[in-house]
Amino acid sequence: MKAFLILEDGTVFEGTSIGAERDMISEIVFNTSMTGYLEVLTDPSYAGQAVVMTYPLIGNYGITPDMESKKAWPDGYIVRELSRMPSNFRCEGTIQDFLKEQDIPGIAGVDTRALTKILREKGTMNGMITVKEDYNLEEILPKLHAYKVGDVVSRVTCREKYVLDGDGPDVALMDFGAKNNIAKSLNQRGCRVTVYPAHTKAEEILAASPDGIMLSNGPGDPADCTEIIAEIRKLYDSDVPVFAICLGHQLMALATGAKTYKLKYGHRGGNHPVKDLSTGRVYISSQNHGYAVDAESLDSQVAIPAFENVNDGTNEGLSYIGKNIFTVQFHPEACPGPQDSGYLFDRFIQMMGGTK
């Protein structure tokens, strides 16, 4: 069945329908990872977005047990070529069946290189996937311009707190759309991890006397999370060590007076270089974000830049003055990788006093 991708600038791509055969409007973003498509599909940070995979062949090892959450989150999926015959000893199904099961519309056969160039030159824009050949651009374009991602953190967070037992430090993990490997990375280092819903009050977390607090990744515009930011300010004012990733990094910055802004097309992929400003060493990182902290808005008495993006100079991490708090924009828990910056979890363990 034919399918069409319509961008808000009026550009139309024709391809073949994959997944659910229904109309979809979303923000269109691209990911440059060469592998890990299942981890991308199950990353809650993609809620409210449709993902373009720049790597030309997707699905060649099928569906494996490598999910970062219990379900898929993107609104849509856009690929150049979809493998029809996956081959891997861990394969449990095809990606096309998975998309149908998860009710995600997709389109294959699109020139994803041309599409990505448009998004890089004009910036991230909204779009529609439809299987209707009689679509009306005059009716569709106003809908695309009106689309807003909205409050996606409330959609992706856990509904109740739960615990991963361990003999080491007690860590409170705030779930703003946390990937499974964050809790797993802490748990593998012996931590007892209590995962809290995004809108949990700071008083409840602090009453549990955690040894450390982890602020997770998540989707959407960080500035929209006003209630959560107020609670994070209370966590900042406590003396509990804090480590934050991605959205958590942005929320802590907002809670301490800094500002965030939307990037032209974001950073999404497993090949982004970041520099540790204290050592000059460069790490290759996994990233998935459309917003960044404005380093110029930082109060130097509160926090200083700790990491920087080598490609465009944007802020990639902060170290807080007089506090056991550090935050990063990238993903040290990256699954399937790279694992260059996994040592940051060990640094967090040391901040909490090491293993018990």
Side-chain angles (χ1 to χ4, degrees):
M1 178 181 291
K2 284 184 180 180
F4 303 89
L5 170 65
I6 304 168
L7 300 180
E8 65 177 279
D9 69 347
T11 303
V12 178
F13 290 87
E14 181 178 330
T16 304
S17 174
I18 56 175
E21 296 173 357
R22 61 175 176 83
D23 288 354
M24 175 234 66
I25 294 177
S26 190
E27 184 178 67
I28 312 297
V29 300
F30 63 88
N31 183 295
T32 58
S33 298
M34 296 178 69
T35 186
Y37 54 79
L38 185 60
E39 288 89 340
V40 169
L41 279 168
T42 54
D43 182 349
S45 292
Y46 282 113
Q49 298 174 326
V51 184
V52 180
M53 300 300 293
T54 63
Y55 190 72
L57 179 63
I58 299 296
N60 54 308
Y61 53 87
I63 298 301
T64 55
D66 301 314
M67 295 175 65
E68 281 297 297
S69 62
K70 293 181 179 179
K71 66 183 292 291
W73 291 104
D75 291 338
Y77 203 55
I78 302 155
V79 302
R80 176 67 184 93
E81 181 180 352
L82 196 66
S83 174
R84 299 294 176 179
M85 297 180 65
S87 178
N88 187 279
F89 73 99
R90 300 167 71 236
C91 179
E92 298 176 350
T94 67
I95 193 169
Q96 45 268 56
D97 288 341
F98 181 76
L99 292 173
K100 289 179 180 178
E101 291 166 5
Q102 298 289 318
D103 193 35
I104 296 177
I107 180 170
V110 169
D111 185 343
T112 51
R113 177 176 292 184
L115 173 55
T116 300
K117 286 180 69 175
I118 291 172
L119 297 177
R120 281 179 59 90
E121 291 168 5
K122 297 186 177 181
T124 297
M125 63 181 79
N126 298 333
M128 168 186 273
I129 294 176
T130 182
V131 294
K132 297 173 182 174
E133 296 189 39
D134 59 347
Y135 62 83
N136 187 322
L137 271 181
E138 292 183 0
E139 293 180 0
I140 291 173
L141 293 182
K143 296 178 181 178
L144 300 186
H145 288 291
Y147 174 80
K148 301 291 183 185
V149 172
D151 179 15
V152 276
V153 170
S154 296
R155 277 175 47 194
V156 301
T157 188
C158 60
R159 298 294 169 248
E160 298 178 349
K161 73 176 181 180
Y162 61 93
V163 178
L164 282 70
D165 283 326
D167 298 324
D170 290 328
V171 177
L173 170 57
M174 295 294 294
D175 177 12
F176 306 131
K179 294 164 64 181
N180 285 342
N181 209 40
I182 293 179
K184 185 178 178 181
S185 295
L186 292 166
N187 199 229
Q188 286 176 335
R189 289 167 170 81
C191 295
R192 181 181 188 271
V193 183
T194 303
V195 184
Y196 290 88
H199 295 283
T200 303
K201 297 295 183 183
E203 290 81 2
E204 178 181 344
I205 295 169
L206 296 174
S209 299
D211 296 309
I213 299 169
M214 185 92 214
L215 307 180
S216 83
N217 64 294
D221 184 344
D224 289 341
C225 302
T226 52
E227 294 180 3
I228 295 173
I229 292 167
E231 299 305 314
I232 290 178
R233 176 67 202 200
K234 299 174 188 176
L235 299 179
Y236 168 84
D237 288 334
S238 75
D239 291 323
V240 181
V242 177
F243 178 25
I245 292 172
C246 199
L247 179 64
H249 154 78
Q250 298 164 0
L251 295 176
M252 178 60 78
L254 289 167
T256 53
K259 297 179 181 179
T260 56
Y261 63 97
K262 189 169 185 177
L263 295 167
K264 185 176 180 180
Y265 48 81
H267 302 150
R268 298 175 181 88
N271 46 13
H272 291 261
V274 296
K275 179 188 284 188
D276 184 333
L277 297 178
S278 65
T279 66
R281 182 172 178 178
V282 173
Y283 299 88
I284 302 302
S285 69
S286 173
Q287 303 198 13
N288 175 15
H289 60 100
Y291 293 82
V293 173
D294 180 2
E296 298 297 320
S297 69
L298 291 172
D299 181 343
S300 61
Q301 302 300 309
V302 174
I304 58 173
F307 288 89
E308 182 180 87
N309 189 293
V310 176
N311 290 334
D312 62 12
T314 54
N315 179 260
E316 291 281 358
L318 297 173
S319 180
Y320 284 78
I321 307 299
K323 295 280 186 177
N324 278 327
I325 299 175
F326 73 99
T327 69
V328 294
Q329 182 63 77
F330 51 94
H331 288 266
E333 86 297 343
C335 234
Q339 300 175 345
D340 296 29
S341 55
Y343 73 92
L344 293 174
F345 285 100
D346 300 318
R347 178 176 164 186
F348 184 43
I349 301 296
Q350 292 172 359
M351 284 171 53
M352 294 186 289
T355 56
K356 294 180 179 178

